[in-house]
Amino acid sequence: MTASTFLEKNTLSVAVTQTTYPFNTFHPSINSKLKRGIDIIGALAGLIITGMIAIPIMVIMFISDPGPLLYSQVRCGLHGRRFRIWKFRSMVVGADKMKHLVKNEAEGHIFKNTNDPRITCLGAFLRKTSLDEFPQFWNVLMGDMSLVGTRPPTVDEVEKYNPHHWQRLNVKPGITGEWQVNGRSSVKNFEDIVKMDINYQNKWSLWYDLHLIVKTVLVVFNKTGAY
């Protein structure tokens, strides 16, 4: 690991210790070997599916909106540790630089726009079906994420956190979670997301994780709350 990589991953952790919140707290799910086992099995299965759908997505993307197949962004995980998340690209190339041109329709430390003009036609389909999320199974396999957890925030979001917001980062971020099965993109108030993330931590069990995974599949098939 290079010095720059080390600093990137630990800058937030240093900032965390300067607040009054007990950020060294580890949720029981972090030490669960069964949860990690389920994550590994699920990630391997998910990556097989990811490989299968990557080819047709790449072909359609080459025809409709040439550019990289994958999109990556630095996000914050357990206790604010930074990692690089992966998705199938759903926006035009250079979309991050155009963010300031798009109106934020959400409240609090999140960014959402129902009709974001940066989203491509293919990208709209990928988001509606949640296919854009499949490369995140690699993040799960690497241990930066879990199948079920909290919504992984961006660095600029976390930099604006109030002390109570950090509690949502006492577990690993997940591909799915309370926010995914209770509104998905239609949830536009950050405090509501925080409440759902804390609710997940309070209710957590392996059975509850499995319940949320099954419920996520149903929500995705019904295309509920996604855009």
Side-chain angles (χ1 to χ4, degrees):
M1 180 183 295
T2 64
S4 59
T5 302
F6 178 84
L7 288 174
E8 177 183 357
K9 288 188 175 183
N10 289 278
T11 298
L12 282 179
S13 296
V14 172
V16 169
T17 60
Q18 297 175 356
T19 68
T20 58
Y21 189 83
F23 298 111
N24 290 328
T25 301
F26 281 94
H27 188 268
S29 63
I30 300 302
N31 297 318
S32 174
K33 293 182 179 179
L34 283 176
K35 179 177 174 67
R36 180 57 184 157
I38 293 173
D39 281 348
I40 292 174
I41 294 173
L44 291 174
L47 286 172
I48 292 174
I49 299 174
T50 302
M52 295 171 60
I53 64 177
I55 295 177
I57 291 175
M58 180 172 59
V59 172
I60 297 173
M61 190 178 295
F62 177 78
I63 296 173
S64 63
D65 183 60
L69 172 65
L70 298 175
Y71 166 80
S72 70
Q73 186 181 48
V74 176
R75 296 289 183 97
C76 296
L78 179 66
H79 291 176
R81 188 177 68 84
R82 298 184 183 187
F83 70 99
R84 186 166 294 278
I85 198 172
W86 294 93
K87 295 184 178 185
F88 284 125
R89 182 172 62 88
S90 61
M91 290 187 172
V92 297
V93 176
D96 285 343
K97 297 180 181 179
M98 306 175 191
K99 185 177 179 180
H100 67 285
L101 301 174
V102 182
K103 180 182 179 181
N104 185 10
E105 298 176 346
E107 297 179 32
H109 308 319
I110 53 172
F111 184 92
K112 293 181 183 293
N113 183 286
T114 306
N115 299 299
D116 195 323
R118 299 173 298 168
I119 300 175
T120 65
C121 292
L122 173 60
F125 171 77
L126 294 178
R127 288 183 171 217
K128 195 73 174 177
T129 56
S130 293
L131 292 176
D132 63 317
E133 309 280 355
F134 271 68
Q136 291 175 38
F137 283 111
W138 174 256
N139 293 117
V140 175
L141 186 63
M142 292 296 98
D144 291 320
M145 294 180 64
S146 177
L147 294 178
V148 185
T150 60
R151 173 188 170 276
T154 61
V155 174
D156 61 321
E157 290 171 2
V158 173
E159 288 175 344
K160 301 172 184 176
Y161 272 12
N162 294 322
H164 72 281
H165 296 147
W166 282 92
Q167 188 177 349
R168 64 187 302 271
L169 299 183
N170 273 350
V171 298
K172 289 183 181 180
I175 294 181
T176 189
E178 289 278 353
W179 51 273
Q180 177 80 317
V181 301
N182 291 297
R184 300 174 74 186
S185 296
S186 62
V187 181
K188 297 183 178 181
N189 189 306
F190 178 66
E191 294 299 336
D192 289 338
I193 293 177
V194 173
K195 290 177 183 177
M196 284 188 281
D197 287 337
I198 302 306
N199 182 58
Y200 165 72
Q201 294 182 31
N202 292 334
K203 296 168 63 176
W204 178 80
S205 70
L206 290 174
W207 288 113
Y208 191 56
D209 271 4
L210 294 174
H211 166 75
L212 289 177
I213 291 172
V214 172
K215 194 171 180 180
T216 298
V217 173
L218 297 177
V219 167
V220 170
F221 272 107
N222 291 329
K223 300 178 183 178
T224 305
Y227 57 79

